[in-house]
Amino acid sequence: MMRALVFQHMDHDHPGRFVDFFAADGIVPEPVRLFEGQEIPPLAPYDVLFVLGGAQDTWQEDQFPWLAAEKQAIREWVAERAKPYFGVCLGHQLLAAALGGEVALAEEGEVGVFDVTLTAEAASHRLMQGLEPSHKVMQWHMAEVKRVPEQARVLASSARTRVQALAVGEHAMSTQFHCEFSPQTVASWSSLPSYVANLEKHRGAGAYPRLVREAFPLMPQMERMTRRMYDNLALASGLRK
């Protein structure tokens, strides 16, 4: 069995539909709960690095000292080892920050279902092959990548956020949107009052049932998009032989 190192920043958070993808490829996810003080293990034994979202911001190292070690690990993994990487939301922003880009508060955040469009460069990039030009995705972020690292390429954008997807070579990619959210992920929020309260903070009373009604019919197409991106990465990076 191969091993996926998963950097976790919040309780009850997990790679969502990627767990199914990992299982099909014989990959066991092994989370590191950084927010609880768990230390990052040596990277060499792992085959893929998956970095989740979180309420933290990339620049809050004084408040969350482990962010410095996390960025160093991401830099080592992507820039030095050139091994398969996928990051979502905070994991997307941390990839940019670790490689010399800039992340800051967004002028206008995105919470809910929004449209993203592939860039012209994505049309010829191996990690985005087989995807339609535009997609509805789930968002939950108040920060964004402002400056892209020199070695990265922008593969998707939205009306509010220019950098919705990044690629570094053919072995690392990340999305600002939450492509890992599955029906099970969203359904689980009904038993997490803090998640529902945070959603209502941004979208008003009754936001959770409204989001369920909007998002659930779109889940099959979201799964197809995510599956295609994962398959492209697995093949291009050599994760899948």
Side-chain angles (χ1 to χ4, degrees), residues 112-125:
V113 176
F114 290 83
D115 294 310
V116 299
T117 303
L118 302 192
T119 64
E121 187 162 10
S124 60
H125 201 290

Side-chain angles (χ1 to χ4, degrees), residues 16-18 20-21 131 135-137 178-184 215-231:
R17 53 172 52 99
F18 281 85
D20 293 329
F21 304 162
L131 292 176
H135 298 265
K136 289 191 178 295
V137 298
H178 282 278
C179 59
E180 87 281 16
F181 282 176
S182 67
Q184 292 83 0
F216 263 60
L218 301 171
M219 284 290 176
Q221 68 189 58
M222 292 180 184
E223 195 276 341
R224 287 193 296 272
M225 176 193 192
T226 307
R227 179 83 220 196
R228 172 62 70 175
M229 290 191 296
Y230 170 80
D231 285 345

Side-chain angles (χ1 to χ4, degrees), residues 93-131:
Q93 297 164 11
L94 284 166
L95 175 63
L99 298 183
E102 180 184 353
V103 179
L105 289 176
E107 292 184 10
E108 192 174 10
E110 296 173 302
V111 178
V113 176
F114 290 83
D115 294 310
V116 299
T117 303
L118 302 192
T119 64
E121 187 162 10
S124 60
H125 201 290
R126 190 173 177 186
L127 296 183
M128 290 302 213
Q129 292 303 295
L131 292 176

Side-chain angles (χ1 to χ4, degrees), residues 9 11 22 69 113 115 134 140 184 219:
H9 309 110
D11 207 5
F22 290 159
V113 176
D115 294 310
S134 62
W140 198 328
Q184 292 83 0
M219 284 290 176

Side-chain angles (χ1 to χ4, degrees), residues 40-51:
I40 296 171
L43 302 180
Y46 294 91
D47 301 283
V48 57
L49 176 59
F50 193 98
V51 182

